[in-house]
Amino acid sequence: MENKQKKRLAWQIPFLLLLVLGTIFIVMQQRSMPYQKNSGFVFGTVYNVTYQSSKNLQKDIENELHKVDDALSMFNDKSVISRINQGNCDIDGGEVASMFVDVFKLAQEISEDTEGAFDITVAPLVNAWGFGFKSGDMPSQHSVDSLCQFVGYQGVNIQQTGNGWRVKKSDPRIMLDCSAIAKGYGTERVARLLKKFGVENFMVEIGGEVVTCGVSPNRVPWRIGVTKPVDDSLAVDQEVQTVLNVTDRAMATSGNYRNFYYKGGRKYAHTIDPKTGHPVQHSLLSATVLANDCGMADAYATSFMVMGLEKAKDVLERHAELMAYFIYTDADGELATWYSPSLKDKISK
């Protein structure tokens, strides 16, 4: 019996030693692997990707982002969404078309959950108020009422056909605008691409929407700043309100403190309420949302800016998977904050 135990130990010890040495080798190799940093311009904004890899993947990253642009960009006349807005509602099968379908379904789901606070049919109102790809004079109430007749997520749906999909509109004047979810979705697609290449440590950021995984080059959790909401339409003032430790999460921020304009002595926010047809007027200045999916975080951040603080809290009570950090003005006109209790241990400043 003792001989058997000795024989077992005789091969177990070298095996364990080899396992330990192999683990040390892998850890040392991972620590010595460089972090790549890629930046560029997409969706009318800047992207930044930091990731640990022996290979520079910028061409692959940009190829993925071009696919998202071909699916969702309203500035690209040949994109899927542009062709739908031009009246061509039949979509062929393929990866780019599938991207549009994924975003459309997610958008409709969030529209339902937020009772229409998030609505990708809001494009005509966005354009009328001068925040879209067209601009003009401030719309009259009559004009707003006319546009609201064909704004509403219930008026559009998608059906699968033999070779692709068909978008059905209750009114041909319905236009789609995915700008409030496209950056988040694009960020998520790049994160999935990096994981496909086996990258374990990365941060993807597109216009403020972020997905992180693993650790930063300093071997600590990724720390992402939330900008203090001040009237700064040129984005010159970048003072940080708080810093969040964000790892293996998506994060998106929506706010009215940069995208606004003054007319007739009055300040107009860029967020349009699909129900009233007017820019929102409430105390919530900035909504940061953490979720498992960046497209979802992006859409809910916009939804919360439409809904305001109290209604946003009601939504969060139904979604334990979401965390939020809100900055608003209190009764005295001072900046105040509220955040999900589950976010407390992630706040580092």
Side-chain angles (χ1 to χ4, degrees):
M1 190 71 175
E2 290 182 5
N3 288 335
K4 286 185 178 180
Q5 289 179 339
K6 288 180 179 179
K7 287 181 180 180
R8 189 179 297 120
L9 286 172
W11 69 264
Q12 283 181 340
I13 291 174
F15 174 77
L16 290 172
L17 183 61
L18 187 64
L19 185 63
V20 170
L21 291 174
T23 302
I24 293 173
F25 175 77
I26 291 171
V27 170
M28 293 299 293
Q29 187 180 46
Q30 188 177 51
R31 283 183 175 272
S32 63
M33 189 181 297
Y35 274 78
Q36 309 285 343
K37 293 186 178 182
N38 301 150
S39 298
F41 195 73
V42 69
F43 311 149
T45 189
V46 175
Y47 77 82
N48 295 284
V49 187
T50 301
Y51 55 99
Q52 189 178 31
S53 173
S54 58
K55 181 182 178 183
N56 190 313
L57 302 172
Q58 186 162 18
K59 287 185 178 179
D60 300 280
I61 289 169
E62 293 196 340
N63 182 53
E64 191 73 6
L65 290 173
H66 286 317
K67 291 177 187 176
V68 177
D69 188 82
D70 286 341
L72 302 173
S73 174
M74 296 178 68
F75 299 94
N76 179 349
D77 290 339
K78 296 182 179 178
S79 70
V80 174
I81 196 169
S82 289
R83 286 188 279 116
I84 291 168
N85 286 338
Q86 292 159 10
N88 182 4
C89 294
D90 288 311
I91 309 170
D92 294 332
E95 187 177 7
V96 170
S98 295
M99 288 181 174
F100 170 80
V101 174
D102 287 346
V103 170
F104 181 89
K105 289 180 177 179
L106 177 60
Q108 294 295 83
E109 178 184 318
I110 295 173
S111 293
E112 186 72 26
D113 187 51
T114 60
E115 298 181 347
F118 185 78
D119 194 329
I120 62 171
T121 70
V122 77
L125 289 168
V126 172
N127 295 333
W129 283 99
F131 299 112
F133 51 84
K134 297 179 181 178
S135 61
D137 295 330
M138 185 178 298
S140 65
Q141 185 59 50
H142 175 73
S143 176
V144 170
D145 291 341
S146 297
L147 293 173
C148 283
Q149 294 179 48
F150 50 94
V151 170
Y153 71 95
Q154 302 96 331
V156 62
N157 61 69
I158 195 165
Q159 296 178 342
Q160 191 159 10
T161 61
N163 299 317
W165 294 269
R166 177 175 295 125
V167 175
K168 299 191 71 175
K169 303 177 182 179
S170 61
D171 189 310
R173 294 172 296 178
I174 289 176
M175 291 182 66
L176 306 182
D177 180 356
C178 289
S179 59
I181 193 172
K183 286 190 300 179
Y185 180 74
T187 305
E188 187 69 32
R189 292 292 306 200
V190 173
R192 294 178 195 175
L193 176 74
L194 293 175
K195 288 180 179 179
K196 189 186 298 184
F197 277 102
V199 178
E200 297 179 356
N201 301 308
F202 63 78
M203 181 193 71
V204 183
E205 182 264 332
I206 302 178
E209 322 306 8
V210 179
V211 176
T212 65
C213 186
V215 295
S216 72
N218 296 325
R219 312 302 301 178
V220 295
W222 295 96
R223 302 173 75 243
I224 311 297
V226 177
T227 306
K228 179 174 287 188
V230 295
D231 286 2
D232 179 27
S233 60
L234 298 177
V236 174
D237 191 336
Q238 292 282 345
E239 185 178 354
V240 172
Q241 172 75 30
T242 192
V243 176
L244 303 178
N245 288 325
V246 182
T247 297
D248 302 325
R249 282 274 184 170
M251 172 177 144
T253 299
S254 182
N256 285 324
Y257 52 94
R258 288 213 176 104
N259 296 312
F260 61 86
Y261 71 89
Y262 286 94
K263 195 158 188 174
R266 185 177 178 184
K267 179 180 175 181
Y268 291 86
H270 86 297
T271 304
I272 306 297
D273 186 335
K275 294 179 181 177
T276 67
H278 288 263
V280 296
Q281 298 287 329
H282 52 58
S283 63
L284 187 57
L285 301 175
S286 171
T288 296
V289 176
L290 276 70
N292 294 323
D293 176 274
C294 201
M296 180 177 291
D298 200 0
Y300 272 109
T302 298
S303 303
F304 293 158
M305 288 306 302
V306 171
M307 303 169 84
L309 185 62
E310 296 307 318
K311 289 184 178 179
K313 289 180 183 179
D314 292 340
V315 173
L316 288 168
E317 286 185 6
R318 302 198 305 266
H319 291 280
E321 76 279 12
L322 299 178
M323 293 183 283
Y325 186 98
F326 297 138
I327 306 174
Y328 63 98
T329 51
D330 62 19
D332 298 322
E334 299 295 325
L335 284 185
T337 62
W338 180 94
Y339 53 83
S340 302
S342 55
L343 196 59
K344 185 176 181 178
D345 63 348
K346 295 184 179 296
I347 298 175
S348 61
K349 176 185 174 182

